[in-house]
Amino acid sequence: MIHPTISFFEEQAEMLDAQQSTMGLDDAIAKLAAWMDLAGLSGNDWAALGEVGGILYREGLRRRQE
């Protein structure tokens, strides 16, 4: 069974495809950074989401270098 949040991500991806969205990793990183600045996160939340942002950034950089 897929975790409900993963299922939600899948649904969102399908919706973006249906809308013919061209948003990519850079857009996701920018949205995450903006939200993190506004959210008033705790230190643990900041660290966890910072790790997610780091993964996204690294993958985007790898794709650009290929």
Side-chain angles (χ1 to χ4, degrees), residues 3 10 23 60:
H3 190 281
E10 183 179 10
M23 288 190 291

Side-chain angles (χ1 to χ4, degrees), residues 44-58:
N44 289 338
D45 291 338
W46 186 264
L49 291 172
E51 183 178 15
V52 170
I55 293 166
L56 292 171
Y57 185 86
R58 181 186 66 195

Side-chain angles (χ1 to χ4, degrees), residues 10-26:
E10 183 179 10
E11 291 168 10
Q12 292 298 303
E14 290 169 357
M15 186 174 66
L16 289 167
D17 286 345
Q19 296 170 346
Q20 298 180 338
S21 172
T22 59
M23 288 190 291
L25 283 174
D26 289 341

Side-chain angles (χ1 to χ4, degrees), residues 25 29 53-65:
L25 283 174
I29 292 166
I55 293 166
L56 292 171
Y57 185 86
R58 181 186 66 195
E59 291 307 310
L61 186 60
R62 282 184 186 167
R63 288 182 185 190
R64 284 188 291 277
Q65 290 176 342

